[in-house]
Amino acid sequence: MAASPVWSVDPRTGKQREQVAVEATAQEVDAAVRAAHAARGSLADRTVRAAFLRGAADQLEAARNQLVEVADAETALGPVRLNGELARTCYQLRAFADIVDEGAFLDVVINHPDDTATPPIPDLRRYKVPLGVVAVYAASNFPFAFSVPGGDTASALAAGCPVVVKAHPDHPGLSELVASVLRRAAAEQGVPAGVLGLVHGFEAGVELVRHPLVSAAGFTGSVRGGRALFDAASARPVPIPFHGELGSLNPVVVTEGAAAERAEAIGTGLAGSMTLGVGQFCVKPGLVLVPSGSAGDGLVKSLTDAVSDTDSGVLLDHRMRDNFLAGVTERAGLPEVESPVTPGAGSEHTVSPGFLTVPAGRLTAEGAYDLLLEECFGPVTVVARYDDDAQANAVLSRLPGNLTATVHLSAEEAAGEGRGAEILAELTPLAGRVLVNAWPTGVAVAPAQQHGGPYPATTSTSTSVGGTAIERWLRPVAYQNTPEALLPLELRDANPLGLPRRYDGRLER
């Protein structure tokens, strides 16, 4: 049977641009994984890894114009957005290179023998080693930052793990181009091309997570697709870690005081956040609790005006467009759900933004309105009007895990008066990142970042953004009573590599 072609498609027209590849067979997936496995040793030297990551950033920047042109043709995200995303991606690669240089991620701990302890302590030396080949499943909505050169790939390579990427069908041409750029950077450091594999096709993705030489996986996408792969990873004869980002509603609470104080600003800010990138951000606010009454009415009016002034846009592909239109139609059809600005079809290839309102009391018990507590990918949000604090809390108590949760407080509440601390306590169990008087869209690449949350936001407690994302691809090993000459350099008393470490209980830097 002939291999299925992989086409680059223009989402602005729905027309095929060019064939860029064919879907990988099981044999081709096996070859890619084995090549990655064979390349493990080339990443053993941290100096080489850091140089590779910096070289990858340099090569991506050198190819910026071509990369952005292809990315825009396949995603319709626009040159401004894509240039910014590419800059973020390069910054992330260099940030991981700095982490590799520093070496603190190895968590070196050395205990010398202590016969006076109960029980006695032998000579123990502990650090972290790479897991092995990592399967990365690229996301649709971030063709750079969460795709072939994105955070999963960068953090895995930084940990010393080769990568095989399952390309997303929405930007296959860009995926091929970026993979060639990264392999060029690898060659500059004497690293085999197999250190970064790339495969296309749904079945290839399934074969990848089942391959016995794959040691972990990272995924960003839908609940349905991510859960299927997560289950496959767990059902293997040897289960592997699966770090999946599956979906998030990203609830927002606006207090009565905040609405009374700055209704117009909050409404305008919400419109900008929920329509950013045509509503295709994983941290888009999808449920907003707004008080009933005049203060909340002012916020809804501001939101109405701002969303009405927002242009229609192109989604990443026509399947997503169809799902968006079906999703908003089903939600808008529920009793007591109103559409101050009706989301829908802008033209044959675009969608127009909008939002829905519903009495919060409809969301406090199981039933048909549970649909409003599920993510709808695209430029729409649900505004739930609550009568009192108890009703708002009742809605929050029914929410699944999220990437983010936000509260907008009045100046008095932000200063510690009123319910500010109580609301934060309600939101903290719901999300990995809690925001005050801000909007969740925009995930900074920073050491303190947490991009992950309770299920179904993610399938692990780790982050996929920021320096600690490297921890997903490492495991600890302790050596006991091992002669100095046999120890890895990282664990020797003399500390020849100058690593940060904890030495007999003392933190050394």
Side-chain angles (χ1 to χ4, degrees):
M1 185 174 64
S4 299
V6 174
W7 290 92
S8 174
V9 177
D10 182 349
R12 294 181 174 96
T13 64
K15 294 181 179 179
Q16 294 176 340
R17 297 176 60 247
E18 60 178 339
Q19 182 181 340
V20 298
V22 295
E23 294 186 357
T25 64
Q27 292 76 20
E28 289 166 335
V29 172
D30 178 66
V33 173
R34 291 188 182 280
H37 184 73
R40 288 173 303 153
S42 66
L43 296 177
D45 187 327
R46 288 189 299 119
T47 303
V48 171
R49 298 210 300 265
F52 175 20
L53 291 167
R54 292 191 179 98
D58 292 344
Q59 291 280 2
L60 288 170
E61 286 179 339
R64 173 183 296 276
N65 291 341
Q66 182 185 12
L67 293 174
V68 168
E69 181 181 357
V70 174
D72 182 49
E74 291 190 319
T75 68
L77 290 173
V80 174
R81 150 70 193 275
L82 291 166
N83 269 291
E85 187 185 331
L86 181 55
R88 176 192 190 278
T89 301
C90 293
Y91 174 84
Q92 184 167 247
L93 287 162
R94 293 187 176 111
F96 276 115
D98 292 342
I99 289 169
V100 172
D101 280 340
E102 181 194 50
F105 73 97
L106 294 170
D107 287 343
V108 176
V109 182
I110 294 176
N111 288 126
H112 287 99
D114 184 354
D115 292 335
T116 67
T118 304
I121 297 174
D123 186 286
L124 285 170
R125 294 153 191 262
R126 181 184 189 270
Y127 78 149
K128 292 181 177 177
V129 299
L131 289 175
V133 178
V134 172
V136 170
Y137 293 82
S140 61
N141 54 344
F142 285 88
F144 294 117
F146 283 84
S147 186
V148 177
D152 285 350
T153 296
S155 58
L157 292 172
C161 296
V163 170
V164 179
V165 180
K166 189 274 181 186
H168 197 279
D170 280 351
H171 37 82
L174 179 68
S175 298
E176 288 285 343
L177 186 57
V178 169
S180 68
V181 170
L182 297 186
R183 289 172 185 147
R184 190 157 60 241
E188 290 181 344
Q189 305 304 322
V191 175
V195 76
L196 182 85
L198 182 69
V199 297
H200 298 266
F202 175 82
E203 291 300 328
V206 175
E207 290 289 339
L208 188 57
V209 79
R210 292 175 176 168
H211 197 287
L213 292 181
V214 168
S215 298
F219 171 91
T220 303
S222 68
V223 173
R224 181 180 178 184
R227 184 54 195 256
L229 290 170
F230 175 61
D231 290 345
S234 301
R236 291 168 38 131
V238 178
I240 59 172
F242 184 90
H243 302 283
E245 179 188 322
L246 310 188
S248 184
L249 192 61
N250 304 301
V252 177
V253 178
V254 180
T255 67
E256 179 81 30
E261 193 174 84
R262 55 183 198 284
E264 183 175 355
I266 294 174
T268 302
L270 173 58
S273 185
M274 58 151 290
T275 61
L276 185 64
V278 202
Q280 296 174 111
F281 278 47
C282 51
V283 288
K284 179 202 74 177
L287 175 70
V288 188
L289 288 161
V290 173
S292 302
S294 59
D297 291 345
L299 191 158
V300 171
K301 181 182 184 305
S302 172
L303 178 63
T304 300
D305 293 342
V307 173
S308 297
D309 287 340
T310 303
D311 293 335
S312 299
V314 177
L315 294 182
L316 291 161
D317 63 41
H318 281 62
R319 176 185 58 82
M320 291 182 187
R321 181 179 182 275
D322 291 343
N323 289 341
F324 171 76
L325 296 176
V328 295
T329 298
E330 187 177 7
R331 288 164 171 79
L334 293 169
E336 294 190 72
V337 171
E338 298 180 355
S339 304
V341 182
T342 302
S347 67
E348 182 182 359
H349 304 292
T350 65
V351 297
S352 59
F355 70 98
L356 311 174
T357 63
V358 65
R362 287 291 194 178
L363 306 179
T364 58
E366 291 185 14
Y369 290 86
D370 285 356
L371 182 63
L372 300 178
L373 304 181
E374 298 177 7
E375 179 183 16
C376 185
F377 195 72
V380 65
T381 195
V382 173
V383 174
R385 305 295 300 273
Y386 66 90
D387 297 328
D388 51 39
D389 296 341
Q391 192 174 69
N393 289 344
V395 175
L396 292 176
S397 71
R398 300 202 59 239
L399 298 187
N402 293 271
L403 294 170
T404 70
T406 299
V407 60
H408 282 267
L409 303 172
S410 67
E412 183 177 285
E413 290 166 333
E417 301 294 329
R419 293 187 63 241
E422 178 186 336
I423 298 173
L424 283 179
E426 293 283 342
L427 296 180
T428 298
L430 295 178
R433 179 162 58 105
V434 180
L435 299 91
V436 178
N437 292 348
W439 297 105
T441 38
V443 184
V445 179
Q449 186 58 270
Q450 174 60 30
H451 189 64
Y455 186 86
T458 50
T459 59
S460 72
T461 58
S462 301
T463 180
S464 62
V465 179
T468 54
I470 196 173
E471 296 173 359
R472 297 174 296 168
W473 321 120
L474 299 162
R475 68 177 181 88
V477 175
Y479 291 86
Q480 181 170 331
N481 293 343
T482 304
E484 177 90 358
L486 301 182
L487 284 169
L489 292 177
E490 292 86 350
L491 298 180
R492 296 186 182 183
D493 281 335
N495 196 12
L497 302 180
L499 294 170
R501 61 182 187 173
R502 188 168 290 279
Y503 191 83
D504 287 336
R506 302 185 309 275
L507 186 62
E508 297 182 348
R509 292 188 178 275

